[in-house]
Amino acid sequence: MEEALRLSNRLFQCRLKYYKEGILLSKHVDEITSRHLSMRPFHLNVIEAACRGRFKETGHSLVLADLLKHPIIQSSFIERFLNIQHEFMDVTAEKDRVDVALKGKDIFINIV
């Protein structure tokens, strides 16, 4: 019986050791994360700021649509995400249950 108790105690001590090491590692990760965040320049989430606590999914669509109205951004977006090259397209947002739509002469792209 004593041998079983000693074995049980050793197992408990091993577990306790690993739990303590896990807590120490998580503290190190927290310190590294905090240090990294403190070195970043000023950070502002414009979508959250614009919504003033009334955050809605439509905010993302409106921001994306506004960005895609810029010819260079639109061209880059279409090339990188869709792997096609196309002339400038008209952009609409939150219309007819479509989040963002790009419409060209021979192409129509829905972003939902």
Side-chain angles (χ1 to χ4, degrees), residues 20-95:
K20 287 179 181 179
E21 286 180 14
I23 290 170
L24 283 174
L25 287 173
S26 68
K27 286 182 180 180
H28 287 299
V29 168
D30 182 56
E31 290 169 6
I32 291 168
T33 303
S34 297
R35 190 169 48 244
H36 173 72
L37 291 174
S38 70
M39 293 178 355
R40 287 179 17 179
F42 178 73
H43 175 75
L44 172 68
N45 185 327
V46 293
I47 297 172
E48 286 181 12
C51 293
R52 295 190 180 122
R54 297 181 307 274
F55 187 72
K56 295 181 181 180
E57 173 201 347
T58 56
H60 288 99
S61 300
L62 297 171
V63 170
L64 179 60
D66 280 348
L67 287 169
L68 291 174
K69 288 178 183 177
H70 189 279
I72 295 172
I73 294 173
Q74 186 184 109
S75 175
S76 175
F77 178 85
I78 293 169
E79 286 177 25
R80 289 183 185 261
F81 287 98
L82 304 176
N83 200 25
I84 59 173
Q85 292 184 344
H86 204 277
E87 62 189 40
F88 186 76
M89 294 183 258
D90 292 324
V91 180
T92 59
E94 296 300 329
K95 186 175 178 183

